[in-house]
Amino acid sequence: MTGAHTHHESTPLPRAVHWAERVWRVVGAVGIRAKILGIVLGLVALMGITATLEVRQILSRTLDAQLHERSVSVARDLAARSTDLVLTNDVYTLHQLLSDTQANNTDLRYAFITDQSGRVIAHTFGAGFPVELLDANDVAGDAHHASVLLTTDEGQVWDAAVPIFDGRAGTARVGLSLASLDRSASGCTRSSRPTAALPTV
Amino acid sequence: MLRRATLILVLLLTLSSCAMAPAAPTIRLSELQPLPAEASAQVVPLRVSVASVVSPRGTVESYQPLLDYLSARLGRPVELVQRRTYTETNELIGRGEVDVAFVCTSAYISGRDAYGMSLLAAPQVAGATTYHSLLLVPADSAARSMADLGGAVFAFTDPTSYSGRVYPTSLVQALGATPEQFFDRIFYTYSHDDAINVVADGLADAAAVDSLVYDFALARDPWLAERVRVIHRSPPFGIPPIVVGPNVRPQLRAELEAILLGLGDDPAPEARAALKALGIDRFVSIDDTIYASARAVLTTVGPLDP
Protein backbone atom coordinates (compact mmCIF):
# COMPACT_ATOMS: atom_id res chain seq x y z
CA MET A 1 0.00 0.00 0.00
CA THR A 2 2.78 2.36 0.96
CA GLY A 3 4.78 1.33 -2.19
CA ALA A 4 1.79 2.08 -4.41
CA HIS A 5 1.40 5.55 -2.85
CA THR A 6 5.07 6.30 -3.36
CA HIS A 7 4.72 5.20 -6.95
CA HIS A 8 1.75 7.59 -7.44
CA GLU A 9 3.62 10.55 -5.92
CA SER A 10 6.58 10.09 -8.22
CA THR A 11 4.46 10.13 -11.44
CA PRO A 12 4.01 13.55 -13.14
CA LEU A 13 0.19 13.71 -13.26
CA PRO A 14 -0.60 13.40 -9.54
CA ARG A 15 2.32 15.70 -8.76
CA ALA A 16 0.78 18.40 -11.01
CA VAL A 17 -2.58 17.94 -9.30
CA HIS A 18 -0.83 18.30 -5.94
CA TRP A 19 0.84 21.55 -7.00
CA ALA A 20 -2.40 22.91 -8.48
CA GLU A 21 -4.11 22.25 -5.15
CA ARG A 22 -1.36 24.10 -3.28
CA VAL A 23 -1.54 27.10 -5.65
CA TRP A 24 -5.30 27.17 -5.36
CA ARG A 25 -5.02 27.18 -1.54
CA VAL A 26 -2.82 30.32 -1.74
CA VAL A 27 -4.95 32.02 -4.41
CA GLY A 28 -8.17 31.17 -2.61
CA ALA A 29 -6.86 32.78 0.58
CA VAL A 30 -6.34 36.29 -0.93
CA GLY A 31 -9.05 38.94 -1.22
CA ILE A 32 -11.25 39.63 -4.25
CA ARG A 33 -9.34 42.86 -5.21
CA ALA A 34 -6.03 41.04 -5.18
CA LYS A 35 -7.56 38.28 -7.28
CA ILE A 36 -8.87 40.77 -9.89
CA LEU A 37 -5.52 42.58 -9.94
CA GLY A 38 -3.70 39.26 -10.30
CA ILE A 39 -5.95 38.22 -13.19
CA VAL A 40 -5.43 41.58 -14.95
CA LEU A 41 -1.67 41.45 -14.43
CA GLY A 42 -1.54 37.86 -15.63
CA LEU A 43 -3.54 38.69 -18.75
CA VAL A 44 -1.35 41.73 -19.53
CA ALA A 45 1.82 39.67 -19.04
CA LEU A 46 0.39 36.91 -21.20
CA MET A 47 -0.48 39.39 -23.96
CA GLY A 48 3.03 40.88 -23.76
CA ILE A 49 4.67 37.49 -24.03
CA THR A 50 2.35 36.44 -26.87
CA ALA A 51 3.02 39.68 -28.78
CA THR A 52 6.79 39.30 -28.29
CA LEU A 53 6.74 35.70 -29.49
CA GLU A 54 4.56 36.60 -32.47
CA VAL A 55 6.78 39.52 -33.48
CA ARG A 56 9.80 37.23 -33.14
CA GLN A 57 8.14 34.63 -35.32
CA ILE A 58 7.09 37.17 -37.99
CA LEU A 59 10.58 38.70 -37.98
CA SER A 60 12.19 35.27 -38.31
CA ARG A 61 9.90 34.35 -41.21
CA THR A 62 10.54 37.66 -43.01
CA LEU A 63 14.31 37.52 -42.51
CA ASP A 64 14.37 33.88 -43.57
CA ALA A 65 12.48 34.72 -46.78
CA GLN A 66 14.84 37.64 -47.43
CA LEU A 67 17.94 35.48 -46.87
CA HIS A 68 16.53 32.84 -49.18
CA GLU A 69 15.86 35.42 -51.92
CA ARG A 70 19.28 36.96 -51.45
CA SER A 71 21.02 33.58 -51.71
CA VAL A 72 19.33 33.05 -55.09
CA SER A 73 20.15 36.57 -56.23
CA VAL A 74 23.85 36.26 -55.23
CA ALA A 75 24.10 32.86 -56.95
CA ARG A 76 22.50 34.18 -60.15
CA ASP A 77 24.81 37.19 -60.19
CA LEU A 78 27.80 34.89 -59.70
CA ALA A 79 26.61 32.55 -62.46
CA ALA A 80 26.22 35.46 -64.90
CA ARG A 81 29.61 36.96 -64.08
CA SER A 82 31.49 33.67 -64.12
CA THR A 83 30.32 32.39 -67.54
CA ASP A 84 33.18 33.77 -69.66
CA LEU A 85 35.72 33.01 -66.92
CA VAL A 86 34.68 29.34 -66.79
CA LEU A 87 34.59 29.02 -70.58
CA THR A 88 38.06 30.52 -70.94
CA ASN A 89 39.40 28.61 -67.91
CA ASP A 90 40.41 31.86 -66.21
CA VAL A 91 40.62 30.23 -62.78
CA TYR A 92 42.52 33.06 -61.10
CA THR A 93 39.94 35.74 -61.99
CA LEU A 94 37.19 33.28 -61.08
CA HIS A 95 38.74 32.87 -57.65
CA GLN A 96 38.98 36.65 -57.28
CA LEU A 97 35.31 36.94 -58.21
CA LEU A 98 34.35 34.43 -55.51
CA SER A 99 36.50 36.19 -52.91
CA ASP A 100 35.00 39.59 -53.79
CA THR A 101 31.48 38.16 -53.63
CA GLN A 102 32.18 36.77 -50.17
CA ALA A 103 33.79 40.01 -49.00
CA ASN A 104 30.75 42.01 -50.17
CA ASN A 105 28.22 39.69 -48.52
CA THR A 106 29.18 39.20 -44.88
CA ASP A 107 26.74 36.35 -44.26
CA LEU A 108 27.93 34.42 -47.32
CA ARG A 109 29.46 31.33 -45.73
CA TYR A 110 30.75 29.87 -48.98
CA ALA A 111 30.66 30.09 -52.76
CA PHE A 112 31.98 27.68 -55.32
CA ILE A 113 31.82 26.87 -59.03
CA THR A 114 31.62 23.42 -60.55
CA ASP A 115 32.17 22.62 -64.20
CA GLN A 116 29.81 20.70 -66.47
CA SER A 117 30.94 17.37 -65.04
CA GLY A 118 30.56 18.48 -61.41
CA ARG A 119 34.25 19.07 -60.66
CA VAL A 120 34.99 22.03 -58.38
CA ILE A 121 36.91 24.69 -60.32
CA ALA A 122 37.08 27.43 -57.68
CA HIS A 123 35.84 27.82 -54.10
CA THR A 124 36.15 30.00 -51.01
CA PHE A 125 37.14 27.33 -48.46
CA GLY A 126 40.88 27.81 -48.81
CA ALA A 127 42.83 24.58 -48.35
CA GLY A 128 40.47 21.61 -48.72
CA PHE A 129 36.75 21.38 -49.32
CA PRO A 130 33.82 19.93 -47.34
CA VAL A 131 33.10 17.15 -49.82
CA GLU A 132 29.67 16.37 -48.28
CA LEU A 133 28.54 19.73 -49.64
CA LEU A 134 28.99 18.67 -53.27
CA ASP A 135 25.90 16.42 -53.43
CA ALA A 136 23.79 18.48 -51.02
CA ASN A 137 22.15 20.47 -53.82
CA ASP A 138 21.77 20.13 -57.56
CA VAL A 139 20.09 22.10 -60.33
CA ALA A 140 18.95 21.24 -63.84
CA GLY A 141 20.38 23.24 -66.75
CA ASP A 142 17.01 24.69 -67.69
CA ALA A 143 16.00 25.58 -64.11
CA HIS A 144 16.08 29.10 -62.67
CA HIS A 145 17.66 27.87 -59.41
CA ALA A 146 17.47 25.19 -56.73
CA SER A 147 17.46 26.00 -53.02
CA VAL A 148 18.02 23.76 -50.02
CA LEU A 149 18.05 24.68 -46.33
CA LEU A 150 21.11 22.81 -45.07
CA THR A 151 21.86 21.84 -41.51
CA THR A 152 25.57 22.28 -40.94
CA ASP A 153 27.90 22.10 -37.99
CA GLU A 154 27.85 25.92 -38.06
CA GLY A 155 24.07 26.26 -38.06
CA GLN A 156 21.53 26.44 -40.85
CA VAL A 157 22.55 27.65 -44.31
CA TRP A 158 20.45 28.55 -47.36
CA ASP A 159 22.24 26.83 -50.25
CA ALA A 160 21.36 28.13 -53.74
CA ALA A 161 22.50 26.48 -56.99
CA VAL A 162 22.18 28.27 -60.34
CA PRO A 163 23.17 26.82 -63.75
CA ILE A 164 25.88 28.72 -65.62
CA PHE A 165 25.06 29.29 -69.30
CA ASP A 166 22.11 26.85 -69.13
CA GLY A 167 24.34 24.33 -67.38
CA ARG A 168 26.74 24.18 -70.35
CA ALA A 169 29.45 25.83 -68.27
CA GLY A 170 28.58 24.27 -64.90
CA THR A 171 26.90 25.48 -61.72
CA ALA A 172 27.36 28.35 -59.26
CA ARG A 173 26.65 27.47 -55.62
CA VAL A 174 26.45 29.82 -52.63
CA GLY A 175 25.56 29.31 -48.98
CA LEU A 176 24.10 32.10 -46.83
CA SER A 177 24.29 31.53 -43.08
CA LEU A 178 21.16 32.02 -40.99
CA ALA A 179 23.24 33.06 -37.97
CA SER A 180 22.45 36.74 -38.58
CA LEU A 181 18.75 35.88 -38.62
CA ASP A 182 19.00 34.22 -35.20
CA ARG A 183 20.93 37.20 -33.86
CA SER A 184 18.33 39.68 -35.17
CA ALA A 185 15.40 37.66 -33.78
CA SER A 186 17.06 37.33 -30.36
CA GLY A 187 17.92 41.05 -30.38
CA CYS A 188 14.30 41.87 -31.17
CA THR A 189 13.06 39.67 -28.30
CA ARG A 190 15.52 41.28 -25.89
CA SER A 191 14.53 44.82 -26.91
CA SER A 192 10.80 44.13 -26.72
CA ARG A 193 10.93 42.49 -23.26
CA PRO A 194 10.86 45.79 -21.27
CA THR A 195 8.11 47.17 -23.54
CA ALA A 196 6.04 44.06 -23.00
CA ALA A 197 6.58 44.24 -19.24
CA LEU A 198 5.80 48.00 -18.99
CA PRO A 199 1.96 47.75 -18.69
CA THR A 200 2.30 45.45 -15.70
CA VAL A 201 4.06 48.28 -13.82
CA MET B 1 -7.06 5.98 -14.97
CA LEU B 2 -3.31 6.40 -14.69
CA ARG B 3 -2.73 3.45 -16.99
CA ARG B 4 -5.02 5.02 -19.61
CA ALA B 5 -3.19 8.35 -19.42
CA THR B 6 0.16 6.60 -19.83
CA LEU B 7 -1.22 4.67 -22.79
CA ILE B 8 -2.43 7.89 -24.48
CA LEU B 9 0.95 9.55 -23.86
CA VAL B 10 2.84 6.60 -25.35
CA LEU B 11 0.46 6.58 -28.34
CA LEU B 12 0.94 10.30 -28.93
CA LEU B 13 4.71 9.99 -28.74
CA THR B 14 4.65 7.07 -31.19
CA LEU B 15 2.45 8.97 -33.63
CA SER B 16 4.57 12.11 -33.45
CA SER B 17 7.75 10.14 -34.05
CA CYS B 18 6.12 8.48 -37.08
CA ALA B 19 5.04 11.85 -38.51
CA MET B 20 8.52 13.38 -38.14
CA ALA B 21 10.66 13.33 -41.28
CA PRO B 22 14.05 11.67 -40.94
CA ALA B 23 16.58 14.27 -39.83
CA ALA B 24 18.79 15.59 -42.66
CA PRO B 25 22.45 14.69 -42.17
CA THR B 26 24.58 17.50 -40.82
CA ILE B 27 27.08 18.88 -43.31
CA ARG B 28 30.42 19.47 -41.66
CA LEU B 29 31.63 22.72 -43.22
CA SER B 30 34.68 22.80 -40.97
CA GLU B 31 35.85 19.34 -42.07
CA LEU B 32 37.93 20.20 -45.11
CA GLN B 33 39.32 17.43 -47.26
CA PRO B 34 41.34 17.36 -50.46
CA LEU B 35 39.08 17.30 -53.50
CA PRO B 36 38.88 13.93 -55.25
CA ALA B 37 41.56 13.56 -57.90
CA GLU B 38 40.46 13.66 -61.51
CA ALA B 39 40.11 10.21 -62.99
CA SER B 40 42.31 9.87 -66.05
CA ALA B 41 40.23 9.74 -69.20
CA GLN B 42 39.89 6.35 -70.86
CA VAL B 43 39.89 7.94 -74.31
CA VAL B 44 42.04 10.96 -75.03
CA PRO B 45 39.79 13.70 -76.39
CA LEU B 46 40.59 15.75 -79.47
CA ARG B 47 41.29 19.21 -78.11
CA VAL B 48 40.05 22.05 -80.29
CA SER B 49 40.65 25.71 -79.56
CA VAL B 50 38.71 28.58 -81.05
CA ALA B 51 40.26 32.06 -80.98
CA SER B 52 38.06 34.61 -79.25
CA VAL B 53 36.73 36.14 -82.48
CA VAL B 54 33.31 36.01 -80.86
CA SER B 55 32.59 35.97 -77.12
CA PRO B 56 33.14 32.68 -75.22
CA ARG B 57 29.37 32.17 -74.99
CA GLY B 58 28.87 32.90 -78.71
CA THR B 59 31.72 30.51 -79.51
CA VAL B 60 30.00 27.63 -77.71
CA GLU B 61 26.72 28.37 -79.49
CA SER B 62 28.35 28.58 -82.92
CA TYR B 63 30.95 25.80 -82.70
CA GLN B 64 29.36 23.13 -80.49
CA PRO B 65 27.34 21.52 -83.35
CA LEU B 66 30.55 21.20 -85.41
CA LEU B 67 32.45 19.74 -82.45
CA ASP B 68 29.62 17.25 -81.84
CA TYR B 69 29.78 16.28 -85.51
CA LEU B 70 33.56 15.84 -85.35
CA SER B 71 33.21 13.75 -82.21
CA ALA B 72 30.65 11.46 -83.86
CA ARG B 73 32.80 11.05 -86.98
CA LEU B 74 36.06 10.49 -85.09
CA GLY B 75 34.48 8.25 -82.48
CA ARG B 76 36.16 10.07 -79.63
CA PRO B 77 35.27 13.03 -77.42
CA VAL B 78 36.09 16.52 -78.64
CA GLU B 79 36.94 19.14 -76.07
CA LEU B 80 36.55 22.86 -76.70
CA VAL B 81 39.34 24.94 -75.19
CA GLN B 82 38.87 28.70 -75.07
CA ARG B 83 41.19 31.47 -74.02
CA ARG B 84 40.73 35.19 -73.62
CA THR B 85 43.19 36.32 -76.31
CA TYR B 86 44.40 35.16 -79.71
CA THR B 87 47.96 35.00 -78.38
CA GLU B 88 46.94 32.54 -75.68
CA THR B 89 45.28 30.35 -78.33
CA ASN B 90 48.46 30.43 -80.41
CA GLU B 91 50.48 29.43 -77.34
CA LEU B 92 48.18 26.42 -76.79
CA ILE B 93 49.07 25.24 -80.30
CA GLY B 94 52.74 25.95 -79.73
CA ARG B 95 52.82 23.94 -76.48
CA GLY B 96 50.88 21.08 -78.07
CA GLU B 97 48.01 21.53 -75.58
CA VAL B 98 45.45 21.55 -78.39
CA ASP B 99 45.42 19.61 -81.66
CA VAL B 100 43.33 21.90 -83.82
CA ALA B 101 42.60 25.63 -83.66
CA PHE B 102 40.36 28.11 -85.41
CA VAL B 103 42.60 31.17 -85.48
CA CYS B 104 42.54 34.73 -86.76
CA THR B 105 44.41 35.72 -89.94
CA SER B 106 47.23 37.59 -88.19
CA ALA B 107 47.43 34.88 -85.49
CA TYR B 108 48.02 32.35 -88.27
CA ILE B 109 50.66 34.51 -89.95
CA SER B 110 52.59 34.97 -86.70
CA GLY B 111 51.85 31.44 -85.42
CA ARG B 112 53.11 29.83 -88.60
CA ASP B 113 56.55 31.28 -88.00
CA ALA B 114 56.60 31.15 -84.20
CA TYR B 115 54.91 27.82 -83.50
CA GLY B 116 54.99 25.90 -86.78
CA MET B 117 51.22 25.76 -87.15
CA SER B 118 50.01 24.67 -90.57
CA LEU B 119 46.82 25.19 -92.57
CA LEU B 120 44.21 22.44 -92.39
CA ALA B 121 41.20 24.04 -94.09
CA ALA B 122 39.27 27.30 -94.25
CA PRO B 123 35.60 28.21 -94.23
CA GLN B 124 33.96 29.33 -97.45
CA VAL B 125 31.30 31.98 -97.01
CA ALA B 126 29.06 33.10 -99.89
CA GLY B 127 31.43 31.33 -102.27
CA ALA B 128 34.52 33.23 -101.06
CA THR B 129 37.47 32.48 -98.80
CA THR B 130 38.13 36.11 -98.05
CA TYR B 131 36.79 38.60 -95.53
CA HIS B 132 37.01 42.31 -94.81
CA SER B 133 37.68 44.64 -91.94
CA LEU B 134 34.69 46.94 -91.43
CA LEU B 135 34.93 50.31 -89.73
CA LEU B 136 31.76 50.76 -87.66
CA VAL B 137 30.30 53.87 -86.06
CA PRO B 138 26.97 54.46 -84.30
CA ALA B 139 24.15 55.05 -86.80
CA ASP B 140 23.80 58.73 -85.78
CA SER B 141 27.54 59.48 -86.04
CA ALA B 142 28.63 62.23 -88.43
CA ALA B 143 31.91 60.40 -89.23
CA ARG B 144 32.38 59.36 -92.86
CA SER B 145 35.91 57.96 -92.74
CA MET B 146 38.79 57.24 -90.36
CA ALA B 147 39.94 60.86 -90.82
CA ASP B 148 36.77 62.04 -89.05
CA LEU B 149 37.48 59.91 -85.97
CA GLY B 150 40.35 61.98 -84.54
CA GLY B 151 39.83 62.39 -80.76
CA ALA B 152 37.25 59.59 -80.70
CA VAL B 153 36.96 56.65 -78.32
CA PHE B 154 37.99 53.59 -80.35
CA ALA B 155 37.37 49.94 -79.48
CA PHE B 156 39.97 47.46 -80.70
CA THR B 157 38.98 43.81 -80.52
CA ASP B 158 42.07 41.75 -79.67
CA PRO B 159 45.65 43.06 -79.48
CA THR B 160 46.65 40.73 -82.35
CA SER B 161 43.42 40.80 -84.36
CA TYR B 162 43.98 41.52 -88.03
CA SER B 163 40.61 43.07 -88.86
CA GLY B 164 40.08 44.49 -85.36
CA ARG B 165 43.46 46.11 -84.74
CA VAL B 166 46.11 45.69 -87.44
CA TYR B 167 44.04 47.01 -90.33
CA PRO B 168 42.50 50.04 -88.50
CA THR B 169 46.01 50.85 -87.22
CA SER B 170 47.21 50.90 -90.86
CA LEU B 171 44.45 53.41 -91.67
CA VAL B 172 45.53 55.67 -88.80
CA GLN B 173 49.20 55.34 -89.76
CA ALA B 174 48.26 56.41 -93.31
CA LEU B 175 46.97 59.64 -91.72
CA GLY B 176 50.43 60.19 -90.21
CA ALA B 177 49.69 59.24 -86.58
CA THR B 178 49.62 56.33 -84.20
CA PRO B 179 46.31 55.18 -82.70
CA GLU B 180 47.47 56.41 -79.27
CA GLN B 181 48.03 59.91 -80.70
CA PHE B 182 45.01 59.92 -82.98
CA PHE B 183 42.29 58.67 -80.65
CA ASP B 184 41.28 60.15 -77.32
CA ARG B 185 40.95 56.73 -75.73
CA ILE B 186 41.42 53.12 -76.82
CA PHE B 187 40.12 49.98 -75.18
CA TYR B 188 39.91 46.28 -76.05
CA THR B 189 36.72 44.23 -76.18
CA TYR B 190 38.52 40.88 -76.84
CA SER B 191 35.82 39.75 -79.26
CA HIS B 192 34.21 41.12 -82.40
CA ASP B 193 30.60 40.69 -81.30
CA ASP B 194 31.33 42.72 -78.18
CA ALA B 195 33.00 45.39 -80.34
CA ILE B 196 29.79 45.64 -82.41
CA ASN B 197 27.78 45.90 -79.18
CA VAL B 198 29.91 48.68 -77.68
CA VAL B 199 29.45 50.77 -80.84
CA ALA B 200 25.70 50.01 -80.96
CA ASP B 201 25.38 50.96 -77.28
CA GLY B 202 27.40 54.15 -77.75
CA LEU B 203 30.23 53.08 -75.42
CA ALA B 204 32.73 53.63 -78.24
CA ASP B 205 32.65 56.10 -81.14
CA ALA B 206 34.01 53.48 -83.53
CA ALA B 207 35.42 49.97 -83.87
CA ALA B 208 36.79 47.78 -86.65
CA VAL B 209 35.36 44.29 -86.92
CA ASP B 210 35.50 41.09 -88.96
CA SER B 211 32.92 41.29 -91.79
CA LEU B 212 31.94 37.64 -91.28
CA VAL B 213 31.05 38.26 -87.65
CA TYR B 214 29.23 41.46 -88.56
CA ASP B 215 27.17 39.77 -91.31
CA PHE B 216 26.34 36.89 -88.96
CA ALA B 217 25.29 39.28 -86.19
CA LEU B 218 23.18 41.27 -88.66
CA ALA B 219 21.45 38.09 -89.83
CA ARG B 220 20.61 37.22 -86.23
CA ASP B 221 19.58 40.74 -85.27
CA PRO B 222 18.44 42.84 -88.28
CA TRP B 223 17.76 45.81 -85.92
CA LEU B 224 21.52 46.17 -85.59
CA ALA B 225 21.53 47.92 -88.99
CA GLU B 226 19.58 50.79 -87.40
CA ARG B 227 22.09 51.20 -84.59
CA VAL B 228 25.45 50.97 -86.38
CA ARG B 229 26.78 52.07 -89.75
CA VAL B 230 29.74 50.82 -91.83
CA ILE B 231 31.86 53.76 -93.00
CA HIS B 232 34.76 51.82 -94.48
CA ARG B 233 35.27 48.36 -95.97
CA SER B 234 38.79 47.03 -96.39
CA PRO B 235 40.05 45.18 -99.48
CA PRO B 236 39.57 41.38 -99.23
CA PHE B 237 42.02 39.43 -97.07
CA GLY B 238 42.54 35.69 -96.54
CA ILE B 239 39.83 34.28 -94.26
CA PRO B 240 40.70 33.12 -90.70
CA PRO B 241 41.76 29.48 -91.14
CA ILE B 242 41.73 26.19 -89.24
CA VAL B 243 45.22 25.10 -88.28
CA VAL B 244 46.93 22.15 -86.65
CA GLY B 245 49.94 22.14 -84.39
CA PRO B 246 53.34 20.73 -85.38
CA ASN B 247 52.90 17.66 -83.15
CA VAL B 248 49.68 16.39 -84.71
CA ARG B 249 50.12 12.95 -86.29
CA PRO B 250 49.79 12.93 -90.12
CA GLN B 251 47.05 10.26 -89.87
CA LEU B 252 44.93 12.46 -87.60
CA ARG B 253 45.58 15.46 -89.79
CA ALA B 254 44.43 13.54 -92.89
CA GLU B 255 41.36 12.23 -91.05
CA LEU B 256 40.38 15.73 -89.87
CA GLU B 257 40.95 17.18 -93.33
CA ALA B 258 38.73 14.54 -94.93
CA ILE B 259 35.93 15.12 -92.42
CA LEU B 260 36.02 18.90 -92.72
CA LEU B 261 36.26 18.98 -96.52
CA GLY B 262 33.45 16.42 -96.80
CA LEU B 263 31.16 18.27 -94.39
CA GLY B 264 29.62 20.41 -97.14
CA ASP B 265 28.53 17.31 -99.09
CA ASP B 266 27.21 15.40 -96.08
CA PRO B 267 23.39 15.38 -96.23
CA ALA B 268 23.10 14.37 -92.55
CA PRO B 269 21.10 16.85 -90.46
CA GLU B 270 24.03 17.12 -88.01
CA ALA B 271 26.29 18.31 -90.85
CA ARG B 272 23.71 20.87 -92.02
CA ALA B 273 23.21 22.08 -88.44
CA ALA B 274 26.98 22.49 -87.96
CA LEU B 275 27.35 24.63 -91.10
CA LYS B 276 24.24 26.66 -90.28
CA ALA B 277 25.43 27.41 -86.72
CA LEU B 278 28.73 28.68 -88.14
CA GLY B 279 27.05 30.62 -90.93
CA ILE B 280 29.31 29.13 -93.63
CA ASP B 281 28.83 27.21 -96.92
CA ARG B 282 31.49 24.56 -96.39
CA PHE B 283 35.16 23.99 -95.53
CA VAL B 284 37.68 24.07 -98.37
CA SER B 285 41.42 23.54 -98.85
CA ILE B 286 43.44 26.70 -98.66
CA ASP B 287 46.91 27.80 -99.65
CA ASP B 288 49.20 30.13 -97.73
CA THR B 289 49.43 32.51 -100.72
CA ILE B 290 45.92 33.81 -99.93
CA TYR B 291 47.43 35.53 -96.87
CA ALA B 292 50.02 37.49 -98.88
CA SER B 293 48.04 40.78 -98.83
CA ALA B 294 47.44 40.56 -95.06
CA ARG B 295 51.12 39.75 -94.56
CA ALA B 296 52.05 42.88 -96.54
CA VAL B 297 49.85 45.10 -94.34
CA LEU B 298 51.28 43.50 -91.19
CA THR B 299 54.81 44.30 -92.43
CA THR B 300 53.85 47.92 -93.14
CA VAL B 301 52.20 48.41 -89.74
CA GLY B 302 55.17 46.86 -87.93
CA PRO B 303 55.16 45.31 -84.47
CA LEU B 304 52.35 46.44 -82.19
CA ASP B 305 52.44 46.71 -78.42
CA PRO B 306 50.65 43.76 -76.84
Side-chain angles (χ1 to χ4, degrees):
Chain A
M1 184 71 181
T2 312
H5 178 74
T6 312
H7 176 72
H8 278 179
E9 277 210 335
S10 64
T11 53
L13 200 60
R15 198 185 297 164
V17 171
H18 172 72
W19 275 103
E21 281 171 0
R22 284 187 68 175
V23 169
W24 184 245
R25 271 203 296 276
V26 175
V27 171
V30 298
I32 188 76
R33 285 182 64 181
K35 275 181 191 162
I36 292 169
L37 189 65
I39 290 167
V40 170
L41 282 176
L43 281 173
V44 168
L46 192 69
M47 282 170 68
I49 292 165
T50 311
T52 305
L53 290 176
E54 201 174 328
V55 167
R56 185 191 164 108
Q57 202 180 14
I58 291 169
L59 184 73
S60 291
R61 268 205 305 268
T62 310
L63 289 177
D64 181 60
Q66 281 180 357
L67 267 178
H68 174 230
E69 277 175 29
R70 206 153 64 76
S71 69
V72 175
S73 143
V74 171
R76 285 190 63 78
D77 180 56
L78 197 59
R81 291 165 67 191
S82 60
T83 308
D84 285 0
L85 302 177
V86 174
L87 291 174
T88 56
N89 198 33
D90 191 350
V91 178
Y92 176 72
T93 313
L94 197 59
H95 188 261
Q96 288 297 110
L97 174 65
L98 294 184
S99 302
D100 290 346
T101 304
Q102 193 171 33
N104 296 328
N105 295 275
T106 47
D107 44 7
L108 189 82
R109 175 59 187 87
Y110 58 80
F112 64 96
I113 305 285
T114 57
D115 68 9
Q116 207 180 358
S117 53
R119 288 173 302 193
V120 177
I121 310 170
H123 61 81
T124 55
F125 286 101
F129 187 90
V131 286
E132 294 165 332
L133 197 56
L134 269 178
D135 300 325
N137 194 5
D138 194 19
V139 66
D142 57 353
H144 183 272
H145 72 275
S147 285
V148 180
L149 185 61
L150 298 179
T151 304
T152 75
D153 56 348
E154 297 174 15
Q156 287 191 304
V157 168
W158 267 120
D159 185 288
V162 170
I164 303 171
F165 188 28
D166 301 331
R168 289 198 264 181
T171 303
R173 290 261 305 271
V174 303
L176 250 72
S177 167
L178 267 71
S180 63
L181 182 155
D182 295 336
R183 277 197 302 275
S184 302
S186 302
C188 171
T189 312
R190 268 198 306 279
S191 343
S192 58
R193 245 184 247 152
T195 317
L198 197 63
T200 60
V201 179
Chain B
M1 177 70 181
L2 184 66
R3 194 174 293 171
R4 195 180 293 170
T6 313
L7 192 71
I8 290 168
L9 194 69
V10 168
L11 200 67
L12 282 171
L13 282 171
T14 314
L15 280 173
S16 65
S17 65
C18 286
M20 270 166 65
T26 301
I27 310 262
R28 287 158 296 179
L29 293 179
S30 51
E31 201 167 287
L32 304 180
Q33 297 165 28
L35 281 163
E38 249 175 71
S40 56
Q42 296 281 324
V43 184
V44 179
L46 177 81
R47 290 168 64 88
V48 179
S49 187
V50 179
S52 54
V53 175
V54 290
S55 61
R57 204 181 288 222
T59 301
V60 173
E61 282 166 354
S62 297
Y63 286 83
Q64 197 58 54
L66 174 68
L67 303 185
D68 292 342
Y69 177 81
L70 279 177
S71 174
R73 291 294 309 272
L74 291 167
R76 65 191 270 207
V78 175
E79 191 182 325
L80 173 64
V81 181
Q82 294 196 71
R83 290 293 180 265
R84 187 163 174 253
T85 64
Y86 293 179
T87 304
E88 287 173 87
T89 303
N90 271 18
E91 286 168 356
L92 287 174
I93 280 277
R95 291 195 298 264
E97 290 178 24
V98 295
D99 306 299
V100 185
F102 292 73
V103 296
C104 161
T105 296
S106 58
Y108 159 67
I109 293 169
S110 61
R112 181 174 177 261
D113 300 333
Y115 303 113
M117 58 174 69
S118 59
L119 293 168
L120 182 68
Q124 189 184 68
V125 183
T129 51
T130 54
Y131 79 129
H132 307 265
S133 170
L134 305 179
L135 192 55
L136 290 187
V137 293
D140 57 359
S141 169
R144 292 283 176 270
S145 69
M146 183 61 99
D148 300 328
L149 290 171
V153 175
F154 198 89
F156 282 138
T157 55
D158 184 273
T160 50
S161 169
Y162 184 79
S163 57
R165 191 185 182 201
V166 176
Y167 183 74
T169 299
S170 76
L171 293 180
V172 173
Q173 286 179 347
L175 296 167
T178 64
E180 289 73 19
Q181 296 163 339
F182 187 70
F183 298 119
D184 176 50
R185 193 160 60 88
I186 292 165
F187 66 93
Y188 292 89
T189 61
Y190 294 97
S191 71
H192 290 253
D193 48 356
D194 284 345
I196 297 169
N197 290 335
V198 296
V199 174
D201 294 341
L203 297 173
D205 299 318
V209 299
D210 179 327
S211 62
L212 303 172
V213 178
Y214 179 74
D215 292 343
F216 197 58
L218 206 59
R220 275 187 183 176
D221 178 13
W223 289 101
L224 203 58
E226 295 185 12
R227 297 167 67 200
V228 297
R229 193 159 50 84
V230 178
I231 59 168
H232 176 86
R233 188 180 179 88
S234 75
F237 296 108
I239 204 162
I242 308 171
V243 300
V244 288
N247 302 322
V248 171
R249 287 182 296 111
Q251 294 86 343
L252 176 62
R253 184 196 160 93
E255 199 176 359
L256 286 168
E257 200 169 7
I259 294 171
L260 288 172
L261 298 184
L263 182 64
D265 300 320
D266 189 344
E270 293 80 13
R272 303 290 100 201
L275 292 173
K276 190 181 172 193
L278 288 167
I280 66 172
D281 308 336
R282 59 194 302 124
F283 287 105
V284 294
S285 294
I286 199 155
D287 188 79
D288 182 68
T289 52
I290 199 171
Y291 298 103
S293 58
R295 204 171 260 127
V297 174
L298 268 166
T299 309
T300 310
V301 167
L304 295 171
D305 291 335

